[in-house]
Amino acid sequence: DALPIFVFPLLTRRLFPATGVSKVHSSTQRQIDKKRHRRLEGVLRREGIAEHEMISRDPTSCLLCVHSGNGTQQDQDLLVHLLKPFDASLQVFAAPGAPYAFACFGSADRAATAIASLSRTWTSPSAGRPRTILFEHSKLLPQDSLLLRNMFKTASVATTSVPIPGLILRPEFISRGEENLLLNHFETRKWIRLAQRRVQHYGYQFLYQSNRVDASQTDPIPAICLDLLRRVGSVMNQVCFDADQLTVSEYLPGEGIAPHIETHSSFEDQLVVISLLSPTVLDLKLPSSASANTSTDPVTPSFSLWLPPRSLLVLQGEVRYLWAHGIVPRKTDVVAAPLEHGVNRRADTFPPTWLSDRQRRLSLTFRRIRREPCSCAYPTVCDSRLPHAAKSASLPQADSDQPPTTSYATATPTTVELNHVYNLYEAIGDHFSNTRHKPWPAVERFVNEGKSGDVIADIGCGNGRHMGLNRLTYSVGFDRAASLLSVCVNRGHAVNAADVLSLPLRSGTVDRVLFVAVLHHLSSVALRQRALMEVVRVLRPGGSAFVSVWALEQQHKYIDGQTQDVYIPWHYRDSQECVTKTVQTVSSVHHRFYHLFRQGELDELINTLPETGDGKTITVVESYKDHNNWNVVFRKDV
C-alpha cells in the first residue's frame, strides 16, 4: 500500500539529517554576513564611498583591518603581532579614535597568505568577551583614505628632532635605576592640586595666575638632583647647571598644559626638563609677531616633538624666548614610527607613523630665577620691556555709575560690565577657551541628575565644556562673546547670543539651569538680583538651578580676604600662537571684574529675591564650598 503523503517529510528528516545541517549552516552564514556588512557600513560611512569602491574581490597588497577598537596603540600593536609574521616589511596605518586601520604588505601574495591563514576573521582566544577583527582586501590605499588625510591635516606627527635653534634633546639621559630613585623620592612628598594636574615646587613657589615666582623661598632642590644638574651642565658646556627652582608636574592620560612662554622677567635663559615614566608630545608654536626674529623657516610655524621617557630637554636662546611650548590634553599621540618597529619606509605611502598611548608621566623642570631685568634679543615679546598694565587704582569702582537704591527691574550694565566683562571676554575668548577643558565634577553630577528629555540651559556657557554631558537631555547655551560662541558651534553645540539680564526664553520652559562663574562678574546687588530673577523666570515649577561664584575665602595673589570688589589681571595670549601680543597691538593684560562672595552671601541673595511673577517660591537645596567657589543649588517650588 502507498504511504500517506504527510509521511514523506518525516522520513526525509529521519533518513537525511544532513539537510537540517545545511539549513543551520546557511543561517550561521547569514549572521556572519550581517555582522560583516554592519562593520563595513561604519567604515564606508567614514570614508564616504561605496563598498565596491573599497573592497576588492581580487588580492591586493593592502588590507582593511576592522578591529572595532578605539584607535589606540594597543589596537595597532595587536595588528602588527598578527600580521608581521607574514611580511617583515609590514606597515600599519591607524588614526586615534578610528575603529579600523590599513595594513600594507610588500606584495598581494603575502597579503592573501595572511588572510587565508586568519580565515578572513580573527577572534581572540581570551576567556572574556571575544575580540574579532575583520580583514578585507582593499582597493583604497592609505594615502587615499579620507580618515588618514584628515589626521595628517589636523594632527602633527611628532618627531625626535625639530630644526629650532637652542633646542637640545638627549634620549635615555638617565638610566631606569636613576628614574626609579627619583620616582621613589618625589612620590612621598606633598603634592599641590591644580585644576588640570598635581605639582610640587622646590626653591621658589611658582604662581600660575601671573606666571611668576614667589620671592619667598620654599624647600630647597633635593640633593638627589645635584648630580643630575652637573651632568646637565656638561651637555651645555658648563661646569654645572646651577638651577634654583624646580617644579615637578604629574600628567595623567588626557591631561596637558596650555601653550605658553616662560616669563622673561622671572627666569633666565635656559630651561631644563627631564621626563619620567611615559612618553608624550611637546607642541612648539611660533607667533607671527616673532617671525621676523627667528632663523627658522616662518612657513613652518609649529612642530611636534616626541619626548621619550628618561630624556633630557634643554630650551635656550630662540626656542626659549620666542617659541610657545605646551602639551595638548589627549590620550593617544601620533608619532613617526620608531626604528625598533622595523618599519619599511616606502615612498608610495604616508610617512610611517605609530600610535602611542599616554600613561602617567612626571616631568622635572629646572629653572634659574632672574634677579636683574631681562636684556634678551627679543624685545617685542619680552614682558620686561612691554608697557606696564593699568593699575587697579585707575580702574572704575563697582557701583560708581549706579545708585545702590536702584531696583533690580531697572538695573542696567555699567562701564564696569561693558569694559571689564563684556568686551574683555570678546577680546580674550580664544585664549580663555584654550585654558578651559574639563567639566567641573560638581556640574557634571548636577547635569547627570537630569531626567530623559530634560531641557538644560547653560547661561554663560563659554566654550561649551559643560554642554552635552548627559546625552539623555537637551542642552542649549547662551553667551555674549561671539569668540566663545564660535567655539561651541564648531563643537556641535546649540547656542545663542544673549545677555544674562534678558534671556530669549519663554517663562517656565527649562528643567535645569547652569549658572557657572557668571554672577560674580556683575558689579551691583541690583544687577545680580536681575540676573537671578531671569534664571528663576525661565525655570519650570519643580526645576533646579546650579549657581557658582568665586569665594572671598581663598588664597590668591590678588585677593586679600577682605576686599570683595577686585580686578584680576588676565595675561592675554593669541589662541593661534598662544603668546603675548606685541606693543603695536592691544595690551597684553586685561582686568576682569569680580565681586567675591563671602560665606552665606549667595544663599542670602537667593533667599531674599523678590517674589516671582507666577507666585512660586524658591528653596535652597544645597549650599557648599568647592575649592575656591561657593556653589548653591536651588529649586523653584511647584
Side-chain angles (χ1 to χ4, degrees), residues 425-533:
Y425 276 101
E426 188 65 65
I428 71 169
D430 48 5
H431 181 217
F432 179 82
S433 177
N434 285 337
T435 65
R436 301 299 188 270
H437 302 290
K438 293 184 177 181
W440 291 3
V443 175
E444 200 164 10
R445 285 194 300 271
F446 176 79
V447 170
N448 287 330
E449 290 171 357
K451 300 176 183 178
S452 178
D454 277 359
V455 176
I456 300 179
D458 190 347
I459 301 172
C461 60
N463 65 356
R465 61 171 168 163
H466 291 135
M467 298 184 67
L469 299 178
N470 186 343
R471 296 186 178 183
L472 299 178
T473 63
Y474 177 77
S475 296
V476 59
F478 301 91
D479 207 288
R480 280 188 60 118
S483 56
L484 291 171
L485 290 173
S486 64
V487 175
C488 294
V489 172
N490 291 335
R491 294 178 177 179
H493 298 312
V495 291
N496 296 270
D499 193 308
V500 63
L501 301 176
S502 181
L503 296 172
L505 287 171
R506 294 173 60 186
S507 300
T509 56
V510 175
D511 299 285
R512 287 178 174 262
V513 168
L514 294 179
F515 201 33
V516 178
V518 178
L519 192 64
H520 53 220
H521 286 314
L522 300 176
S523 62
S524 69
V525 174
L527 285 173
R528 294 191 281 272
Q529 283 182 329
R530 180 175 173 180
L532 284 171
M533 288 302 292

Side-chain angles (χ1 to χ4, degrees), residues 164-170 235-236 305 312-316 319:
I164 305 178
L167 188 148
I168 301 174
L169 178 64
R170 294 290 173 86
V235 173
M236 299 185 293
L305 180 66
L312 165 70
L313 173 68
V314 178
L315 303 178
Q316 57 187 350
V319 69

